[in-house]
Amino acid sequence: MLRSITFNFSHVFQGVIWNMKISEDGKIIVFEVRNTETKIVTFSALNLDTHKFLWKEKMLEEPWWINLTAVAGDIVLFTLYTDTNNPDKKAALAYQLTNGELMWWNNDFSISTVTANAIKGHAEKYGRREMALDIRTGKETVFGDFLFKSVEIVRRPQQYPAEHEYFQTVKTFFNRKFNLSPTTALEYLEYDSLIFISCYLQENELANYLFIVSADGNLLLKERLGEHLKGIGLDTFFVLSGCVFFVKNKGELVSYKIL
């Protein structure tokens, strides 16, 4: 079957897309976006079916020292750093995924493991104490052995450094096919008879490109993800529900459909 790629949607955020978490059903992405000039972090939840935001550019009470930790069921978990001089001192907050409203918070809890029903972690105030909280109420509970098992619906690439044998194979292909010479590292994924390669090219400075190639070697898409780079990234793209997603120029989410 001949495959093709068509533009799906894109959205530009006012800052750097620092982190993304995907809901278990693969229908919602929650974003952590940081603006280094204003020192403000905002959070947004995007419905991938409608391309509309459930909530957008939400600021929490702490403007900077907080990050997105996990999405479990219909709950979004955040970690707040309560003492900027001591990163071990943390608080946990839970918000409703659908409307972005606060459900509960715990001012002395560091999250380590998240399941469908509970959060495992520890408190520090009176000496380190391992404990678990009910994910819906934030009240202490018994953690048990009910680790949440979810089907991995997101396809992510494998990274290969320049010294890896597979990197050299791809580099030879690029030299012959496109007269290009990848450097440093690349990320590779085969999906639905297509080959996805995120690699780095030395232009004036280091630049990151995404190539999508058909099984017979035809180029379907070439996108520059970033330029003037100081280093390489990890998970520069992913495939979900028949679409490829990537961040362009640090602040733009772009998606193409695989047909």
Side-chain angles (χ1 to χ4, degrees):
M1 178 185 292
L2 294 177
R3 294 293 182 186
S4 62
I5 299 292
T6 184
F7 179 77
N8 188 15
F9 74 93
S10 70
H11 180 79
V12 178
F13 290 89
Q14 300 304 307
V16 175
I17 300 175
W18 198 262
N19 192 7
M20 290 185 284
K21 298 293 182 182
I22 301 169
S23 63
E24 291 155 14
D25 60 7
K27 294 183 180 298
I28 299 171
I29 301 181
V30 182
F31 300 87
E32 174 184 334
V33 178
R34 292 188 173 269
N35 189 316
T36 55
E37 294 182 359
T38 61
K39 293 294 184 183
I40 291 176
V41 56
T42 60
F43 303 94
S44 302
L46 177 66
N47 186 310
L48 295 179
D49 288 337
T50 64
H51 304 165
K52 294 182 179 180
F53 286 92
L54 302 176
W55 33 279
K56 185 179 179 183
E57 298 175 356
K58 181 179 180 63
M59 289 179 57
L60 307 185
E61 285 192 20
E62 166 53 50
W64 187 249
W65 295 101
I66 188 167
N67 60 33
L68 173 64
T69 303
V71 176
D74 60 349
I75 297 173
V76 187
L77 296 169
F78 297 90
T79 294
L80 170 67
Y81 295 87
T82 57
D83 184 347
T84 57
N85 295 315
N86 185 352
D88 291 332
K89 291 187 177 181
K90 302 173 185 176
L93 300 91
Y95 282 75
Q96 184 71 36
L97 176 61
T98 54
N99 57 26
E101 293 183 358
L102 179 66
M103 297 178 67
W104 58 263
W105 73 91
N106 185 309
N107 286 329
D108 180 27
F109 190 78
S110 180
I111 300 171
S112 60
T113 305
V114 179
T115 76
N117 302 306
I119 312 164
K120 187 178 182 180
H122 65 270
E124 291 278 351
K125 189 173 182 181
Y126 301 108
R128 185 183 177 100
R129 182 171 72 92
E130 301 293 333
M131 59 187 296
L133 305 179
D134 184 291
I135 198 168
R136 302 205 66 83
T137 66
K139 296 181 179 179
E140 189 166 356
T141 186
V142 177
F143 187 72
D145 297 319
F146 47 85
L147 281 177
F148 181 65
K149 295 180 181 179
S150 61
V151 178
E152 183 56 63
I153 58 176
V154 180
R155 298 289 301 275
R156 300 185 186 276
Q158 176 69 44
Q159 187 178 74
Y160 297 98
E163 60 271 15
H164 196 282
E165 179 183 358
Y166 203 82
F167 179 95
Q168 298 302 321
T169 301
V170 175
K171 183 177 180 179
T172 300
F173 168 75
F174 267 68
N175 282 331
R176 293 174 178 173
K177 186 72 177 178
F178 308 121
N179 194 29
L180 296 173
S181 183
T183 184
T184 310
L186 63 83
E187 293 188 315
Y188 183 95
L189 174 68
E190 292 185 13
Y191 174 83
D192 212 4
S193 302
L194 297 179
I195 299 170
F196 299 77
I197 300 170
S198 171
C199 65
Y200 297 86
L201 302 177
Q202 193 67 52
E203 299 177 335
N204 291 330
E205 295 182 74
L206 201 63
N208 182 204
Y209 284 85
L210 175 64
F211 292 81
I212 302 179
V213 183
S214 65
D216 55 3
N218 291 323
L219 180 63
L220 302 179
L221 181 73
K222 177 185 177 182
E223 278 267 8
R224 184 166 63 186
L225 308 189
E227 56 186 335
H228 309 302
L229 303 176
K230 303 302 182 184
I232 65 172
L234 184 65
D235 287 342
T236 53
F237 69 92
F238 62 88
V239 174
L240 170 66
S241 300
C243 298
V244 58
F245 296 84
F246 54 86
V247 173
K248 187 175 180 179
N249 299 322
K250 297 183 179 180
E252 179 181 6
L253 178 75
V254 182
S255 174
Y256 281 82
K257 286 184 180 180
I258 302 166
L259 302 178

